[in-house]
């Protein structure tokens, strides 16, 4: 990556300038939509209708956000989204790490079998409709657990954690065993703390997946409004205004002088904020994790 | 009976010992077994049982009956499918969007990675990288909302740009001809940064001495890129290319479902959406499963075809 002459004396060539300009363009194209949405969400609703909002709000206000939290199902959906993300991430990370640890033990008697059993799921899946019928037959429809159970075990995450565990020195486990620790104690006390970087990466993947998921709500829980998620509510609002059936013009909004557009933008901001908050902290982990996978593979 | 070379007495001594040894090992590893067996059961239920559900494609599945008491209809669902014009529309849309997506979504991340690699390490470079990964983590629901906002005719920046140069406003989301482009470009916007991570990682692993030696020989920037960086990443490029050919028909339905509207629905219908609408929307479970099966088989055929082609060219197999 650093094969170019660096140092203070190297003057930027035409190539550097063109390249820099291109990269700046990529930066703007990526960031502008987010800034625009943020500006509209923070701008007075009636004023936004006049148009011309770019990256700064013209009449800053938090009214749109206040309106959301009084609007329909949004507070409950926010709670469910947080709950599924927290519970789903903790359980799935714990389960995947546990299976990864068992797989990392070279002396485990079912090692080859378990490994193949998991790898097959990466390539073959039953598809949409058999999956749907299974969930229905298991009576998981209209339950919270439909968010957690089907994706609890993920072979890709397991293999990622396992390859990290494989690099840990075996001697640590051996000395713990001499001290009388059993496999579960070794896993919790010794292995897990050492795996913090890879666990952070996998936790980010699981959490983002849970937070962003809307299709399972659509498919399995759409007749249980109390189990709705933020993404699904956003999706319903977007779809209803796009198809012209303006369900958003309910009386609760009219009294507050808030337009559907402002509500959409405010919910969008609520939906992406948690990701923006954790992203900078976890960024270096996932880049390192993906890099390791790439160089090895 | 073949003699194993052991005397009967020795065999009788050896055999009963083998099973207790396995049991003994299982007992020693009881914690490991307890830590994995519940999850094996879970994977079996959620990942293996649905594969069994493929058999439904050969039945006339009616809910409420046990699996084996369903009526078997042979290939009827498939012959129905191949006679349905909508299937060919869905196939065309699926392949159209995925081939377009493959052409842009595959080449542009490589070019972007090459350009990033040519930048001097610094705050600006790190910012570009960090920001370019970000859309990958945002849901398609949000991206669809952003796309609608950016392309709208009242105040959308794209139409403002068009107006600035004196053009008439374009209703991007209300024209079937634009739909494929909108899907492919928004996918590109979302994933281009993420897809560069792997190439940048491989570029970092290229031996710096190669660059130095070439530079001593008088190689310029383009020559370094063409003769060292590109060959350095070519293996990964080929692997990823073959894998993405295998995924051509597995483009899912998320983008199409979220970005479509009644006006453009004929351009948005992809195979997975077609299966969803028939299978779950109209309770034609067996027909929907048949669509899924055909989709998977086309994908597998493409994957093996691409792999065979590259094995003949490079003598190297990917799968």
């Amino acid at each position: 990556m650093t094969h170019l002459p660096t140092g203070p004396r190297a003057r930027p060539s035409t190539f550097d300038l063109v390249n820099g300009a291109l990269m700046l363009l990529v930066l703007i194209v990526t960031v502008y939509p987010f800034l625009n949405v943020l500006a509209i969400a923070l701008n007075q609703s009636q004023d936004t209708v006049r148009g011309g909002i770019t990256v700064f709000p013209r009449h800053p206000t938090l009214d749109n956000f206040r309106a959301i939290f009084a609007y329909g199902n949004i507070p409950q959906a926010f709670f469910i989204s947080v709950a599924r993300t927290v519970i789903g991430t903790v359980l799935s990370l714990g389960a995947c790490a546990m299976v990864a640890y068992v797989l990392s033990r070279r002396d485990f008697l079912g090692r080859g079998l378990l490994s193949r059993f998991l790898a097959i799921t990466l390539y073959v899946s039953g598809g949409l409709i058999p999956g749907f019928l299974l969930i229905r037959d298991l009576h998981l429809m209209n339950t919270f657990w439909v968010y957690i159970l089907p994706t609890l075990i993920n072979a890709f995450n397991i293999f990622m954690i396992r390859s990290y565990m494989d690099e840990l020195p075996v001697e640590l486990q051996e000395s713990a065993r001499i001290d009388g620790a059993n496999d579960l104690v070794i896993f919790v006390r010794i292995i897990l703390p050492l795996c913090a970087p890879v666990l952070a990466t996998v936790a980010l993947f699981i959490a983002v997946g849970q937070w962003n998921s809307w299709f399972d709500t659509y498919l399995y829980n759409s007749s249980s409004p109390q189990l709705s998620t933020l993404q699904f509510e956003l999706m319903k609002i977007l779809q209803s205004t796009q198809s012209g059936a303006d369900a958003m013009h309910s009386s609760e909004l009219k009294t507050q002088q808030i337009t559907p557009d402002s509500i959409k933008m405010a919910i969008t901001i609520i939906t992406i904020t948690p990701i923006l908050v954790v992203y900078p902290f976890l960024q270096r982990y996932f880049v390192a994790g993906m890099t390791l996978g790439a160089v090895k593979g | 009976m073949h003699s194993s070379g052991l005397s009967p007495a020795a065999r009788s001594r050896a055999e009963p010992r083998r099973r207790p040894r396995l049991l003994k090992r299982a007992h020693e590893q009881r914690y490991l077994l307890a830590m994995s067996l519940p999850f094996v059961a879970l994977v079996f239920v959620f990942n293996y049982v649905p594969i069994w559900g493929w058999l439904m494609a050969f039945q006339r599945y009616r809910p409420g009956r046990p699996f084996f008491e369903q009526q078997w209809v042979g290939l009827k669902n498939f012959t129905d499918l191949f006679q349905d014009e909508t299937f060919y529309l869905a196939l065309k849309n699926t392949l159209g969007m995925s081939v377009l997506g493959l052409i842009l979504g595959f080449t542009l991340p490589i070019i972007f990675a090459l350009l990033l690699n040519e930048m001097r390490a610094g705050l600006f470079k790190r910012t570009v990288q960090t920001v370019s990964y970000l859309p990958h983590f945002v849901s398609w629901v949000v991206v669809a909302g952003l796309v609608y906002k950016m392309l709208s005719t009242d105040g959308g920046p794209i139409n403002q740009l068009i107006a600035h140069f004196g053009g008439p406003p374009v209703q991007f989301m209300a024209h079937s001809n634009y739909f494929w482009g909108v899907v492919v470009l928004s996918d590109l916007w979302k994933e281009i940064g993420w897809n560069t991570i792997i190439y940048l990682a491989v570029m970092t692993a290229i031996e710096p001495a190669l660059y130095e030696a070439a530079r001593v020989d008088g190689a310029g920037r383009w020559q370094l890129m063409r003769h060292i960086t590109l060959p350095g990443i070519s293996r990964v490029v080929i692997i990823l290319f073959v894998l993405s050919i295998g995924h051509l028909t597995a483009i899912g339905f998320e983008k199409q479902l979220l970005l479509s509207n009644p006006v453009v629905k004929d351009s948005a219908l992809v195979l997975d959406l077609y299966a969803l609408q028939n299978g779950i929307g109209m309770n034609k479970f067996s027909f929907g499963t048949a669509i899924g099966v055909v989709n998977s088989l086309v994908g597998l055929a493409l994957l093996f075809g691409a792999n065979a082609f590259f094995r003949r060219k490079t003598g190297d197999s990917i799968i």
Side-chain angles (χ1 to χ4, degrees):
Chain A
M1 209 174 275
T2 51
H3 64 265
L4 300 170
T6 43
R9 279 167 296 121
R11 291 213 357 258
S13 62
T14 321
F15 177 87
D16 287 321
L17 292 175
V18 173
N19 195 8
L22 263 176
M23 293 297 126
L24 191 65
L25 186 71
V26 171
L27 199 64
I28 292 170
V29 168
T30 313
V31 172
Y32 182 81
F34 293 109
L35 291 179
N36 184 233
V37 167
L38 182 65
I40 293 173
L42 287 172
N43 196 50
Q44 218 174 56
S45 194
Q46 298 299 315
D47 179 64
T48 305
V49 183
R50 285 173 41 219
I53 304 286
T54 52
V55 296
F56 295 108
R58 200 160 40 207
H59 291 285
T61 173
L62 288 173
D63 282 353
N64 300 324
F65 290 96
R66 268 184 222 117
I68 299 177
F69 280 97
Y71 178 74
N73 209 13
I74 300 297
Q76 171 71 9
F78 183 78
F79 170 74
I80 292 289
S81 281
V82 172
R84 72 174 287 178
T85 303
V86 172
I87 297 172
T89 306
V90 170
L91 291 184
S92 180
L93 187 67
C96 291
M98 216 181 250
V99 177
Y101 173 63
V102 174
L103 273 181
S104 77
R105 285 279 302 264
R106 273 153 219 279
D107 57 328
F108 179 58
L109 53 106
R111 191 168 183 253
L113 213 59
L114 181 59
S115 183
R116 249 166 275 154
F117 180 75
L118 290 170
I120 286 174
T121 67
L122 291 175
Y123 302 101
V124 193
S125 81
L128 198 61
I129 284 136
F132 173 80
L133 292 175
L134 175 76
I135 298 289
R136 205 193 52 184
D137 292 345
L138 290 173
H139 300 289
L140 281 173
M141 282 179 91
N142 299 308
T143 65
F144 179 74
W145 296 104
V146 78
Y147 297 143
I148 311 289
L149 285 178
T151 53
L152 192 74
I153 292 291
N154 176 306
F156 180 79
N157 292 342
I158 290 175
F159 292 140
M160 200 160 155
I161 302 173
R162 202 246 336 237
S163 67
Y164 192 89
M165 288 177 175
D166 282 344
E167 307 286 310
L168 300 176
V170 197
E171 290 76 17
L172 282 171
Q173 300 190 41
E174 281 167 358
S175 62
R177 197 161 298 118
I178 291 167
D179 291 343
N182 67 41
D183 292 324
L184 193 63
V185 173
I186 294 174
F187 167 67
V188 175
R189 293 268 182 81
I190 295 171
I191 304 296
L192 278 189
L194 289 173
C195 288
V198 72
L199 293 179
T201 309
V202 173
L204 176 76
F205 291 160
I206 300 172
V208 167
Q210 282 285 4
W211 181 259
N212 281 345
S213 185
W214 63 278
F215 192 67
D216 45 12
T217 316
Y218 172 82
L219 210 51
Y220 305 123
N221 285 351
S222 48
S223 52
S224 296
Q226 76 279 8
L227 291 172
S228 191
T229 51
L230 206 52
Q231 303 280 349
F232 184 57
E233 292 298 314
L234 178 62
M235 181 261 183
K236 279 198 295 190
I237 293 168
L238 290 172
Q239 296 283 316
S240 68
T241 46
Q242 277 155 23
S243 59
D246 201 346
M248 290 292 299
H249 261 304
S250 59
S251 52
E252 43 182 329
L253 287 183
K254 270 185 187 150
T255 54
Q256 296 185 57
Q257 305 283 304
I258 308 282
T259 60
D261 203 39
S262 297
I263 287 287
K264 270 196 284 187
M265 297 309 133
I267 299 180
T268 306
I269 293 300
I270 300 275
T271 314
I272 58 182
T273 301
I275 290 174
L276 294 182
V277 171
V278 296
Y279 181 72
F281 298 102
L282 292 169
Q283 207 252 132
R284 63 198 175 100
Y285 287 126
F286 73 69
V287 173
M290 298 300 288
T291 305
L292 193 72
V295 175
K296 266 187 165 177
Chain B
M1 196 178 138
H2 286 282
S3 166
S4 63
L6 290 169
S7 70
R11 209 184 305 144
S12 68
R13 250 185 287 121
E15 284 212 330
R17 213 194 270 162
R18 277 187 70 164
R19 281 196 41 198
R21 203 181 292 152
L22 190 71
L23 284 177
K24 192 166 163 264
R25 255 185 94 191
H27 181 73
E28 280 167 8
Q29 299 187 346
R30 62 190 180 280
Y31 286 100
L32 296 180
L33 287 168
M35 285 161 80
S36 54
L37 285 181
F39 302 117
V40 168
L42 206 66
V43 172
F44 182 77
V45 170
F46 285 108
N47 297 88
Y48 281 80
V49 172
I51 298 174
W52 176 251
W54 271 32
L55 286 177
M56 236 165 34
F58 304 96
Q59 292 178 331
R60 183 163 161 229
Y61 180 86
R62 269 179 281 182
R65 286 192 200 181
F67 188 82
F68 283 104
E69 284 167 34
Q70 303 285 348
Q71 189 188 347
W72 293 89
V73 295
L75 294 174
K76 183 175 180 304
N77 287 314
F78 293 96
T79 48
D80 284 356
L81 182 62
F82 293 131
Q83 277 162 13
D84 185 3
E85 272 176 40
T86 321
F87 168 71
Y88 295 98
L89 177 68
L91 188 67
K92 187 183 101 180
N93 286 332
T94 307
L95 291 176
M97 274 181 257
S98 46
V99 169
L100 267 180
L102 183 65
I103 294 168
L104 290 180
F106 196 79
T107 47
L108 290 182
I110 296 174
I111 294 172
F112 185 43
L114 285 172
L115 292 179
L116 266 177
N117 191 46
E118 292 296 323
M119 284 182 79
R120 281 176 213 168
L123 185 66
F124 182 55
K125 178 182 177 177
R126 277 203 306 279
T127 311
V128 173
Q129 264 181 286
T130 308
V131 167
S132 73
Y133 307 149
L134 182 63
H136 172 79
F137 292 96
V138 175
S139 73
W140 263 109
V141 179
V142 167
V143 173
L146 296 180
V147 168
Y148 264 89
K149 187 84 212 148
M150 292 300 116
L151 297 180
S152 82
T153 40
D154 70 47
I158 306 284
N159 268 312
Q160 281 178 333
L161 269 182
I162 293 174
H164 183 77
F165 291 106
V170 183
Q171 291 212 320
F172 289 101
M173 302 309 285
H175 280 291
S176 276
N177 332 11
Y178 294 139
F179 188 78
W180 287 9
V182 169
V183 167
V184 169
L185 290 178
S186 49
D187 195 30
L188 186 73
W189 178 82
K190 193 173 184 300
E191 304 296 344
I192 186 168
W194 184 251
N195 290 338
T196 58
I197 290 185
I198 186 163
Y199 299 120
L200 288 171
V202 177
M203 287 175 195
T204 337
I206 296 174
E207 194 66 54
L210 286 176
Y211 289 108
E212 274 154 39
R215 219 175 290 120
V216 169
D217 290 344
R221 197 162 203 160
W222 291 106
Q223 284 166 317
L224 292 179
M225 210 194 277
R226 267 192 55 207
H227 298 293
I228 298 175
T229 314
L230 273 181
I233 62 169
S234 65
R235 207 186 130 68
V236 173
V237 169
I238 290 172
I239 291 174
L240 291 181
F241 189 73
V242 171
L243 290 179
S244 27
I245 285 179
H247 286 136
L248 269 184
T249 59
I251 55 170
F253 48 79
E254 222 187 338
K255 312 160 226 187
Q256 286 78 11
L257 187 59
L258 291 168
L259 285 169
S260 81
N261 56 54
V263 189
V264 297
K265 68 177 191 328
D266 277 354
S267 305
L269 188 75
V270 283
L271 284 171
D272 282 323
L273 205 53
Y274 180 49
L276 180 75
Q277 283 169 1
N278 273 286
I280 292 163
M282 306 198 298
N283 283 338
K284 288 159 76 182
F285 295 116
S286 289
F287 189 67
T289 308
I291 300 170
V293 170
V294 170
N295 196 359
S296 302
L297 291 180
V298 174
L300 272 180
L302 286 171
L303 179 64
F304 282 111
N307 190 49
F309 181 77
F310 277 104
R311 196 175 45 215
R312 198 170 332 142
K313 290 270 167 201
T314 63
D316 209 3
S317 177
I318 281 139
I319 40 174

